[in-house]
């Protein structure tokens, strides 16, 4: 991991604790233990810094997905592996980082949300096609309609500005939704695979906690 990536991880943790607008560049430099000059040499301003954080997280996901493509996983196993990636690279919460990022940089926020939405739609479309071809998803549903529905749900959750939204654990919500989604489109063979894979996934999670 490069020094710049180390800085990004530390700064992201700061933003999750104090929020985007609660820290100046000088504060950030002081808290991660570098000079202001070093920080500005790597990031010309706070908006650039946030862009780099988002890019860093996205690059990790893309690299992981490319690695999965080289494996012979079925459609359900692919989704479970995405869950495993997110377990170690948690989705942003509705805490102070998320709220202040949306407030201070609304255009950047919208751009990031569109990119996430496009990546998700592409993955779901390919995954449904794969599962149908493998004979573990039903072939009597409309993939386009499913994508429209999922996109609407994603927009509703991520753009919920009520206080209740702050209580949502996005990672837990995502896991439950995946379980719900696959059970809705899988045939009997697929449901059996899902139950086996989820059992292994949960066992792996329990072992990580030991």
């Amino acid at each position: 991991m490069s020094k710049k990536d180390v800085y990004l991880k530390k700064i992201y943790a700061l933003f999750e604790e104090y929020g985007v607008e609660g820290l100046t560049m000088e504060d950030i430099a002081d808290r991660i233990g570098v000079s202001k000059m070093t920080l500005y040499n790597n990031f010309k301003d706070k908006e650039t810094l946030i862009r780099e954080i988002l890019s860093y997280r996205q690059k990790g996901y893309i690299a992981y997905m490319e690695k999965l493509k080289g494996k012979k996983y079925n459609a359900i196993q692919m989704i479970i592996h995405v869950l495993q990636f997110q377990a170690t690279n948690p989705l942003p919460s509705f805490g102070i980082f998320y709220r202040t990022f949306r407030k201070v940089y609304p255009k950047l926020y919208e751009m990031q949300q569109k990119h996430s939405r496009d990546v998700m739609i592409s993955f779901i479309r390919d995954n449904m096609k794969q599962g149908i071809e493998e004979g573990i998803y039903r072939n009597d549903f409309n993939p386009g309609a499913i994508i429209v529905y999922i996109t609407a749900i994603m927009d509703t959750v991520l753009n919920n500005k009520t206080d209740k939204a702050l209580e949502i654990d996005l990672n837990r919500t995502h896991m439950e939704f995946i379980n719900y989604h696959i059970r809705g489109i899988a045939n009997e063979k697929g449901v059996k695979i899902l139950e086996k894979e989820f059992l292994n996934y949960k066992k792996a999670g329990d072992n990580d906690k030991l």
Side-chain angles (χ1 to χ4, degrees):
M1 183 180 293
S2 68
K3 281 189 176 181
K4 190 171 186 178
D5 288 346
V6 172
Y7 298 155
L8 289 171
K9 288 191 71 172
K10 289 182 178 180
I11 296 167
Y12 179 63
L14 284 176
F15 283 156
E16 285 202 312
E17 184 175 357
Y18 298 102
V20 171
E21 63 182 342
L23 294 168
T24 65
M25 291 290 279
E26 289 75 9
D27 293 332
I28 293 168
D30 183 60
R31 290 177 185 274
I32 68 172
V34 300
S35 68
K36 288 189 292 184
M37 182 178 293
T38 297
L39 187 64
Y40 278 109
N41 282 341
N42 283 276
F43 316 102
K44 70 174 185 178
D45 53 33
K46 199 192 295 187
E47 182 172 345
T48 300
L49 177 51
I50 293 172
R51 287 178 183 274
E52 293 265 13
I53 288 174
L54 297 174
S55 176
Y56 174 73
R57 292 173 61 83
Q58 290 164 359
K59 283 189 293 185
Y61 174 77
I62 292 171
Y64 185 79
M65 292 305 296
E66 287 299 318
K67 186 183 298 183
L68 288 184
K69 289 179 181 178
K71 310 288 184 180
K72 296 187 179 297
Y73 294 131
N74 63 46
I76 294 174
Q77 289 172 326
M78 284 288 288
I79 289 183
I80 298 300
H81 277 285
V82 170
L83 284 178
Q84 290 173 336
F85 172 82
Q86 290 179 341
T88 54
N89 298 269
L91 293 165
S93 70
F94 282 105
I96 190 169
F97 167 72
Y98 190 92
R99 287 181 286 128
T100 56
F101 167 40
R102 181 169 61 189
K103 174 184 175 183
V104 180
Y105 300 104
K107 290 184 179 179
L108 180 58
Y109 169 81
E110 290 298 332
M111 183 181 72
Q112 187 265 341
Q113 291 302 303
K114 182 182 183 305
H115 175 79
S116 296
R117 188 184 302 113
D118 291 345
V119 170
M120 179 198 70
I121 289 172
S122 177
F123 173 77
I124 292 174
R125 183 183 291 114
D126 292 345
N127 186 264
M128 287 191 288
K129 179 181 178 182
Q130 179 185 351
I132 291 172
E133 292 174 348
E134 292 171 339
I136 58 178
Y137 290 167
R138 300 179 356 249
N139 61 4
D140 59 347
F141 64 90
N142 183 335
I146 298 294
I147 288 173
V148 169
Y149 179 71
I150 292 176
T151 303
I153 291 175
M154 183 179 183
D155 288 342
T156 299
V157 171
L158 294 181
N159 292 299
N160 190 334
K161 299 181 181 180
T162 66
D163 291 339
K164 198 69 177 175
L166 303 181
E167 302 172 10
I168 296 175
D169 179 337
L170 286 183
N171 296 284
R172 178 68 183 179
T173 300
H174 185 237
M175 184 182 75
E176 295 293 350
F177 179 76
I178 288 299
N179 189 20
Y180 168 83
H181 166 66
I182 298 178
R183 287 181 183 277
I185 64 175
N187 56 26
E188 185 176 350
K189 179 181 177 181
V191 170
K192 289 181 179 179
I193 293 173
L194 172 67
E195 291 175 346
K196 177 182 177 182
E197 293 296 331
F198 251 115
L199 182 61
N200 291 336
Y201 171 73
K202 290 178 179 178
K203 282 182 179 179
D206 290 340
N207 289 336
D208 288 342
K209 296 174 184 177
L210 295 179

